[in-house]
Amino acid sequence: MAWSRIRVYRAGRIPHTLVIMTLSTERTQSPPPGRQPAKPSSGGSASAPGPVRRNAPGLALAVVGLGLAEGVHALLPAVPMLTAAVVLGVVAAHVPGLHPFVRGRGRAGLSTAGKRLMRGGIVLLGLKLSIGDVLGLGWATVTMVLGVVLATFFGTWWLGRKLGLPGDQPLLIATGYSICGASAISAVSGALGKDEDDEQLASDVATSVALVTLCGTLAIAVLPLLHHPLGLDNLQFGRWVGAGVHDVGQVVATAQTAGPNALAEAVMVKLIRVAMLAPLVAGVAVAYRRRRAHDAAGGKQATGVRRPAVVPLFVVGFLAMTALRSTGVLPTGVLDAADTAQQLLLAMALFGLGSAVHLPSLARSGARTALLGLASWVVVAGVSYGGVLLTT
């Protein structure tokens, strides 16, 4: 606080000055000797933290989640690391001690992991696929997988809309069931042209990932029990798993119960489904561009929406990696290192996506969401089973 002088002049022939000392409520500080007083910032009272400081706490927690997921997989090999990462993310979001951090200071970094790292993992996923391997399975198998993808995608999307699921959940759940689980959900969500800070989209993605992961995890336990009762030999079982289970890790965990030949067949059929990711994302982007153009022509102005690219950049990267793998120039060591990096990126991303799941919100639409998940599971399992019998 400091004293201020006010001069008061009295009217009259002879002016007199009365000096009044008033106490100011503002605190003033003198700069130290030899130091200039600080200039006020033109941008506000405090500068916002940079992207590194803003994302570091959440990314650090995602690294911890990755380590825990690897530990769970090491102790329980039947549980894929990616599945463990999603579950651990959901747990972290609801543990009383971690909940405030996950929803507050760590949210930015966890969201970055769920989006940016996921896209990096999708790009590296292209190195698992080569054009020669796909063609080597024959056009009958490729046609069968295409039929499974289309039936699952459009059937799930239609039923989700009929059930009245909110937002983009019908589209995202349909994508996850028909292609490759959480990776496909993230890819399609990035093609919708919405802001990355869109809270409704983040909620829809988290709910869809949780549902697809749950059903894929159940497949690890249920499908091996149906191996012999359905009259499938080992190769047929591998194809059925590859055509009907969502995530690549879950396919490996399920098919390995029937031996190495079944596992190899399952992975190849699964990678054909993965190859459908690029055209599906491009189709969704084109459909949404047309809808935005139609809304604009009708005078509707959507907020928080940008015009989506026909093919998102990370999908271009996925196709480029597939083309590179098809050339055969990459040594085995490089492919193994890329596979490890892809697993690490996807595990951190899935931990981030799992941390966005809000179980009370999920429970409010639980009956409808569970019904859609069960129905879609039946569709993909039934259509793929019929397709395997027709093509083998």
Side-chain angles (χ1 to χ4, degrees):
M1 293 179 290
W3 291 97
S4 301
R5 292 164 60 103
I6 299 179
R7 295 181 183 274
V8 180
Y9 294 90
R10 189 177 64 181
R13 292 176 180 265
I14 304 175
H16 295 276
T17 302
L18 177 64
V19 179
I20 301 177
M21 304 297 291
T22 61
L23 187 64
S24 172
T25 58
E26 295 183 358
R27 186 182 301 270
T28 61
Q29 294 180 350
S30 300
R35 194 171 181 181
Q36 296 294 329
K39 295 181 179 180
S41 172
S42 59
S45 58
S47 59
V52 174
R53 292 182 58 190
R54 186 171 63 251
N55 291 319
L59 289 175
L61 181 59
V63 172
V64 173
L66 165 65
L68 292 175
E70 286 185 324
V72 170
H73 178 62
L75 292 174
L76 302 170
V79 179
M81 183 177 68
L82 301 185
T83 299
V86 176
V87 174
L88 288 170
V90 175
V91 171
H94 295 84
V95 170
L98 277 176
H99 173 78
F101 178 83
V102 170
R103 298 298 179 191
R105 189 174 170 217
R107 187 69 260 152
L110 292 168
S111 297
T112 297
K115 294 168 185 167
R116 305 292 184 183
L117 299 187
M118 175 65 79
R119 292 173 186 178
I122 292 172
V123 171
L124 293 179
L125 184 62
L127 290 176
K128 289 180 174 289
L129 185 67
S130 74
I131 298 173
D133 290 339
V134 173
L135 297 180
L137 288 175
W139 288 109
T141 301
V142 174
T143 303
M144 181 268 290
V145 174
L146 178 60
V148 170
V149 168
L150 293 177
T152 305
F153 178 78
F154 287 106
T156 304
W157 193 8
W158 175 84
L159 181 58
R161 291 168 65 88
K162 286 294 183 181
L163 290 173
L165 291 185
D168 294 306
Q169 284 185 28
L171 172 64
L172 297 175
I173 293 172
T175 302
Y177 271 86
S178 60
I179 303 291
C180 53
S183 301
I185 291 171
S186 178
V188 167
S189 68
L192 299 180
K194 297 185 177 181
D195 290 340
E196 293 193 350
D197 296 332
D198 190 314
E199 294 184 358
Q200 180 60 51
L201 178 61
S203 175
D204 292 341
V205 169
T207 299
S208 303
V209 167
L211 179 65
V212 170
T213 301
L214 173 62
C215 290
T217 303
L218 292 176
I220 298 173
V222 174
L223 265 60
L225 300 178
L226 301 176
H227 178 181
H228 297 295
L230 291 178
L232 298 174
D233 60 30
N234 289 345
L235 290 181
Q236 289 175 322
F237 178 74
R239 290 196 170 202
W240 183 45
V241 171
V245 179
H246 320 311
D247 183 80
V248 176
Q250 294 164 346
V251 167
V252 171
T254 307
Q256 67 185 359
T257 60
N261 292 333
L263 176 59
E265 198 76 9
V267 170
M268 287 309 306
V269 172
K270 176 61 188 175
L271 291 179
I272 297 179
R273 287 174 67 192
V274 173
M276 306 294 177
L277 177 63
L280 177 64
V281 172
V284 169
V286 169
Y288 270 69
R289 282 168 66 97
R290 289 178 177 175
R291 194 173 82 174
R292 303 287 178 247
H294 181 270
D295 290 345
K300 298 178 181 179
Q301 184 66 34
T303 59
V305 176
R306 53 182 170 81
R307 193 178 187 187
V310 174
V311 181
L313 186 60
F314 64 92
V315 177
V316 175
F318 170 86
L319 294 173
M321 292 298 102
T322 300
L324 182 60
R325 169 68 186 269
S326 301
T327 63
V329 299
L330 295 178
T332 303
V334 172
L335 295 176
D336 290 343
D339 180 66
T340 300
Q342 181 236 350
Q343 291 289 317
L344 298 179
L345 289 174
L346 291 183
M348 292 177 64
L350 290 174
F351 182 88
L353 290 175
S355 70
V357 174
H358 188 235
L359 291 179
S361 300
L362 186 61
R364 283 194 287 271
S365 61
R368 291 175 297 162
T369 304
L371 177 59
L372 177 61
L374 178 61
S376 184
W377 198 18
V378 171
V379 168
V380 69
V383 175
S384 59
Y385 176 71
V388 167
L389 294 181
L390 290 174
T391 56
T392 56

